[in-house]
Amino acid sequence: MGIHWWSWQVVVPGLSLVVLVVATHLFVTPLVPTFSVDPNALVIHRINGTYEWNAERDRSCEKEHGAVVYRNATWKADVGCWLSQCGNSSFPIPVVEKFWRNSCTFECDGRGVCNKELAQCRCSVGFSGVGCEKVINRKCNKGVTDEQPYGSWGVSVCPGFCDKRTAHCLCGNTTKYPDRPLAEACGFHSKGNTGEIDWTKADTDYIYGNKSYQGWCNLDAEDVHDKNIRVKLPQCDCKYDGQWGVVCESPSESFCINQCNLNGICHQGFCACRKGWYGVDCSVPSYLPPPVQRPKWLPQEAAPDVSDETNRISVASNIMKKRPLVYVYDLPAEFTTQFLQGRHFKFECVNRLYDVDNATIWTENLYGAGIALYESLLASEHRTTNGDEADFFYVPFLQACIVEQGDAAPHLTFQGKYMGLRQYFAGDYSKQIYFHIQQNYPYWNRSAGRDHIWFFPWDEGACSAPKEIWNSMMLSHWGNTNAKHKASTTAYRADNWDLIPPEWRGDHPCYDPAKDLVLPAWKFPDPYPIVQNLSSRHRQDRPTLFYFNGNLGSAYDNGRPEPGYSMGIRQKLAAEFGSQPNKKGLLGRQAVDDVVVQAQRSPQYKLELSKSRFCGVLPGDGWSGRMEDSILSGCIPVIIQDGIHLPFENVLDYESFTVRVAEDNIHNLITILKAINEAQVDSMLAVVRGLWQRFTYHYAVKLEANRQKLKLNKEDLWASVQNSLTGDDAFSTFIHVRFSLSDQ
């Protein structure tokens, strides 16, 4: 795993057998081979370090029974005992950093960024080849026939001009505003008064205009705003990133990873780095910058004052960093930024956008955790560009983009070979990445991938991971141990992993608590619950005994029709305790005043959670964000999903702040909750108050707050509130629990 046993390992007498067994399974790997230093790399030399060990603390930890409280969280005894002793993140160690200066073919021809380590181009969308010299033409319409002149429906279906780089539909050069979008339903006829779209008939009058109407593609924004002209229905939306306004007349900054760190220009997800910088977010220098120019992940110790890059290439400097050291692969753009550039709805697979003033707009996209973790790792002091030094390797495949973009355009179809299964389709990308890593780096084979980390955000997590990468650590939001639910539980066929050929997938569970980790979903960093201190309400201020608000299935208006939705669990809960009449006008069999089980989303959802003592955590198609909702509102989670772990459950002492109710025991829910005495309730609420920040991604939010301060010279309320938080968030928890154990 890249752990330098000769300088770091400490034998801790008295640790339990459980700790040793888990550590051996997780982290013992062959010794790291010594690779020769490339002459094209600038090396910051490693020096000897010293490490202290507190023997008295070691002995006191041995005497602990049950959970160990450390950094405001109650940990499982074995994990907490180790964490409270090691404190490895507080010990800076000397490391070697490499800054590469290899050249790429044609220097990527202005169409990409050169990865100086591998001398490979990372091409912008629409280009490929060793020097980004090849043009890729992508279609918008698929399966075009006489009966379907625009092809079968797809998000990219286009009655106008198809931008073959992105497969975006635009007005085209024959119109006054050629770059105005004609996204999805825009430009097609409606069927009668039903509002249903007829995908076989383009509304050319609407697109281009007629004697009485200028047409969407020729409308002047001034006329629309002066109300001289009313935009006809169906109204088109500004669905592509970087555009706002009634007729998409207002440009804005688009989303990029870490917004290119101000070292490049963001092009709808792709960073065009300025000279001397490379990487997905332009955060890697090809020389050793002076302290004032160094990125966050590179410590700011003084370096020799050198005037030009030619001389700098020979400079060596001692850098102290914190373990664990994480190497983040700079993957080919077709696995990362090209997905961002090609998204058809700007809110897809990102956690923020920018308004017309370039101020940050945070999204409610639950899949935003992948972006938050990625950006945090790239900016973290735990990051290293030297794989030979690394303890772990992060593989930043943007799977969340496929979750939301699958079948968006013909080149992203998961039909045919993939049988309509988007997890199977995405898994093929995972395999390609695996082959890329094996062919271009020496790191996979030294541990058979055990020190590599992948993020699977699917409804059911890493159930669909291809067998070649299963040795790795899987991050997900769904910790199905397969102890009870041994087959796919989703009601959404496109994510049903049962149908994936077993020879491709192999025979592995969805989640292995000995090596994998469940991470919290992304939640919008709303400052108001923090300002109002909703999570700190005490028991006396929480009159509702139990609260759940969410889709309850087909018995309710607009409910999911599939009987397999939520594995039938939400439906059982509603049948017993429903406090809102269903389609038949009936309440639950045991409906009572202080138990709220509603299908219609409340506009006061967060406030109502904060007024409840216990809150339901039940699955949807797989994972849902109800655990995070409960914790962030200070409510004790009541978990009803057998054998399925929630965020950090394999390391936190869940018994200290949650209640588990068996699926078959739902009818006894109220009896179980009322049997918990007030002192126990108070204790659980106190634990939740102590660890709620671990279910947020405020490290990534603070990065954005700092960028906004630099660019706009202002600090919005969300920024000032997030900057005031000092506890560990999901990212730092991930660092502690997943990496600290590697030092055993």
Side-chain angles (χ1 to χ4, degrees):
M1 294 196 128
I3 302 167
H4 301 288
W5 302 95
W6 59 89
S7 65
W8 186 260
Q9 179 160 334
V10 178
V11 178
V12 184
L15 284 181
S16 69
L17 179 62
V18 174
V19 178
L20 294 175
V21 169
V22 171
T24 301
H25 176 74
L26 279 175
F27 302 107
V28 174
T29 59
L31 293 179
V32 181
T34 301
F35 297 103
S36 59
V37 177
D38 191 297
N40 287 325
L42 168 64
V43 179
I44 300 177
H45 294 289
R46 182 181 185 125
I47 60 175
N48 292 327
T50 59
Y51 310 99
E52 298 179 0
W53 190 261
N54 190 324
E56 181 61 34
R57 185 171 56 186
D58 180 17
R59 286 191 291 273
S60 66
C61 193
E62 289 179 35
K63 300 174 184 177
E64 293 284 350
H65 298 284
V68 176
V69 178
Y70 177 67
R71 295 171 75 108
N72 291 330
T74 53
W75 305 90
K76 289 186 175 179
D78 51 349
V79 178
C81 185
W82 172 250
L83 284 173
S84 64
Q85 296 175 72
C86 70
N88 80 308
S89 337
S90 64
F91 294 127
I93 64 168
V95 301
V96 177
E97 287 294 344
K98 294 182 178 179
F99 302 102
W100 304 87
R101 62 185 181 112
N102 295 311
S103 298
C104 288
T105 303
F106 310 132
E107 281 307 299
C108 307
D109 205 22
R111 298 170 169 180
V113 173
C114 179
N115 176 312
K116 299 289 186 179
E117 179 179 1
L118 299 180
Q120 293 179 356
C121 288
R122 303 299 185 234
C123 302
S124 181
V125 68
F127 303 107
S128 69
V130 294
C132 301
E133 73 281 4
K134 297 180 181 178
V135 176
I136 298 176
N137 288 321
R138 290 173 169 156
K139 297 179 180 179
C140 290
N141 299 333
K142 56 185 177 182
V144 174
T145 64
D146 291 339
E147 294 75 25
Q148 292 183 305
Y150 304 100
S152 57
W153 176 84
V155 175
S156 65
V157 62
C158 183
F161 170 77
C162 179
D163 180 343
K164 293 183 179 179
R165 289 184 59 219
T166 60
H168 285 172
C169 186
L170 306 174
C171 286
N173 290 329
T174 61
T175 67
K176 191 171 183 179
Y177 297 100
D179 294 329
R180 191 169 285 172
L182 279 170
E184 205 185 12
C186 184
F188 285 96
H189 275 287
S190 296
K191 294 180 179 178
N193 296 321
T194 64
E196 184 181 355
I197 304 299
D198 185 347
W199 300 103
T200 67
K201 295 180 180 178
D203 189 341
T204 55
D205 286 345
Y206 177 69
I207 298 172
Y208 305 113
N210 52 36
K211 292 181 180 179
S212 61
Y213 180 67
Q214 283 183 291
W216 166 258
C217 292
N218 296 305
L219 276 172
D220 292 323
E222 295 80 3
D223 289 337
V224 175
H225 288 293
D226 291 341
K227 299 183 179 178
N228 295 328
I229 296 177
R230 182 170 177 268
V231 178
K232 288 177 58 179
L233 296 176
Q235 183 172 332
C236 295
D237 294 323
C238 303
K239 294 183 177 179
Y240 303 149
D241 197 3
Q243 296 176 320
W244 301 93
V246 178
V247 287
C248 310
E249 74 279 9
S250 301
S252 72
E253 183 176 358
S254 53
F255 172 88
C256 275
I257 302 296
N258 280 325
Q259 297 311 118
C260 310
N261 283 290
L262 306 183
N263 291 324
I265 299 174
C266 177
H267 295 294
Q268 292 186 310
F270 181 86
C271 287
C273 304
R274 63 181 173 86
K275 184 179 179 181
W277 297 87
Y278 69 96
V280 70
D281 63 344
C282 303
S283 63
V284 185
S286 56
Y287 60 95
L288 180 62
V292 70
Q293 295 178 5
R294 294 187 192 178
K296 184 177 177 64
W297 62 269
L298 190 60
Q300 303 297 304
E301 286 89 351
D305 183 14
V306 183
S307 60
D308 60 46
E309 291 185 24
T310 303
N311 290 332
R312 282 177 185 163
I313 208 66
S314 63
V315 172
S317 178
N318 297 324
I319 295 293
M320 301 297 290
K321 300 187 74 172
K322 295 182 179 181
R323 289 194 69 213
L325 300 176
V326 187
Y327 182 93
V328 183
Y329 283 109
D330 182 46
L331 296 177
E334 54 264 35
F335 305 121
T336 54
T337 54
Q338 289 189 14
F339 282 121
L340 295 173
Q341 288 183 284
R343 40 192 228 286
H344 283 71
F345 302 116
K346 54 192 168 190
F347 289 93
E348 285 179 337
C349 71
V350 299
N351 59 5
R352 69 178 180 278
L353 295 170
Y354 296 91
D355 66 16
V356 294
D357 297 317
N358 290 332
T360 309
I361 303 172
W362 292 105
T363 76
E364 296 276 8
N365 192 315
L366 292 173
Y367 296 122
I371 292 292
L373 183 70
Y374 191 11
E375 291 187 321
S376 297
L377 278 170
L378 289 171
S380 171
E381 59 194 343
H382 295 282
R383 181 188 182 185
T384 179
T385 56
N386 185 352
D388 299 345
E389 294 273 358
D391 300 312
F392 292 89
F393 299 83
Y394 187 70
V395 185
F397 175 30
L398 297 185
Q399 295 210 43
C401 290
I402 288 185
V403 170
E404 298 188 295
Q405 287 184 41
D407 264 6
H411 70 284
L412 288 175
T413 182
F414 48 82
Q415 304 305 319
K417 170 187 173 181
Y418 302 109
M419 303 182 291
L421 306 174
R422 60 181 180 175
Q423 295 196 44
Y424 189 11
F425 174 67
D428 203 37
Y429 275 90
S430 299
K431 276 197 175 186
Q432 292 177 50
I433 294 172
Y434 159 74
F435 291 132
H436 169 78
I437 290 172
Q438 273 208 324
Q439 292 166 7
N440 290 277
Y441 300 91
Y443 311 125
W444 182 277
N445 289 338
R446 74 188 194 186
S447 70
R450 290 186 180 88
D451 51 6
H452 282 58
I453 303 169
W454 304 68
F455 201 147
F456 278 76
W458 304 95
D459 284 340
E460 295 186 275
C463 309
S464 61
K467 61 186 178 184
E468 287 84 357
I469 69 171
W470 181 249
N471 279 343
S472 299
M473 299 176 186
M474 301 298 171
L475 306 177
S476 72
H477 302 310
W478 179 251
N480 186 359
T481 63
N482 295 83
K484 177 177 180 179
H485 301 287
K486 299 179 185 296
S488 181
T489 61
T490 183
Y492 184 54
R493 184 191 179 280
D495 284 346
N496 190 315
W497 51 270
D498 289 341
L499 306 175
I500 297 175
E503 63 273 14
W504 181 92
R505 176 184 173 274
D507 183 19
H508 62 73
C510 296
Y511 157 82
D512 180 353
K515 71 177 181 68
D516 301 333
L517 197 65
V518 180
L519 292 183
W522 168 261
K523 287 293 179 178
F524 162 71
D526 187 351
Y528 294 103
I530 301 175
V531 171
Q532 297 166 4
N533 210 17
L534 296 185
S535 65
S536 295
R537 287 180 183 268
H538 292 272
R539 171 176 47 81
Q540 297 87 341
D541 300 318
R542 295 176 178 271
T544 302
L545 176 65
F546 177 84
Y547 183 87
F548 183 80
N549 187 301
N551 198 306
L552 298 175
S554 60
Y556 294 81
D557 290 333
N558 303 314
R560 287 286 294 270
E562 310 94 332
Y565 174 70
S566 187
M567 299 180 282
I569 298 173
R570 294 190 186 191
Q571 295 89 322
K572 289 181 182 178
L573 180 74
E576 292 292 337
F577 305 107
S579 55
Q580 172 188 340
N582 60 21
K583 291 178 182 177
K584 296 181 180 180
L586 301 176
L587 299 177
R589 288 185 286 269
Q590 301 183 55
V592 290
D593 290 341
D594 62 348
V595 173
V596 177
V597 177
Q598 294 179 334
Q600 185 173 351
R601 188 62 173 258
S602 168
Q604 299 295 319
Y605 178 62
K606 294 178 182 178
L607 181 61
E608 291 174 6
L609 285 167
S610 74
K611 291 183 177 181
S612 305
R613 286 174 234 169
F614 298 97
C615 296
V617 177
L618 290 76
D621 275 319
W623 65 270
S624 73
R626 303 316 169 117
M627 182 67 179
E628 294 80 356
D629 291 344
S630 299
I631 292 290
L632 298 181
S633 298
C635 188
I636 300 168
V638 178
I639 302 166
I640 310 177
Q641 39 191 309
D642 295 352
I644 296 168
H645 279 197
L646 278 297
F648 304 128
E649 187 165 356
N650 55 338
V651 292
L652 291 176
D653 179 45
Y654 258 51
E655 290 185 2
S656 68
F657 67 97
T658 70
V659 178
R660 268 201 179 266
V661 175
E663 295 168 18
D664 292 338
N665 208 18
I666 288 176
H667 60 284
N668 287 324
L669 171 65
I670 303 307
T671 302
I672 293 169
L673 298 182
K674 287 185 174 180
I676 302 173
N677 64 47
E678 292 181 350
Q680 290 174 300
V681 172
D682 289 340
S683 175
M684 288 181 172
L685 289 172
V687 175
V688 171
R689 285 195 295 275
L691 57 72
W692 69 268
Q693 290 189 46
R694 296 182 186 275
F695 288 75
T696 73
Y697 289 88
H698 66 65
Y699 185 92
V701 178
K702 288 179 180 181
L703 292 175
E704 177 64 9
N706 292 335
R707 287 191 291 265
Q708 285 284 281
K709 189 71 178 286
L710 285 173
K711 289 188 299 183
L712 304 180
N713 194 28
K714 70 172 186 176
E715 188 174 74
D716 292 328
L717 179 62
W718 63 264
S720 60
V721 168
Q722 292 287 322
N723 279 331
S724 71
L725 300 178
T726 58
D728 290 313
D729 74 338
F731 172 66
S732 56
T733 303
F734 162 67
I735 289 288
H736 292 153
V737 303
R738 185 43 68 201
F739 296 144
S740 292
L741 289 173
S742 68
D743 295 329
Q744 296 184 66

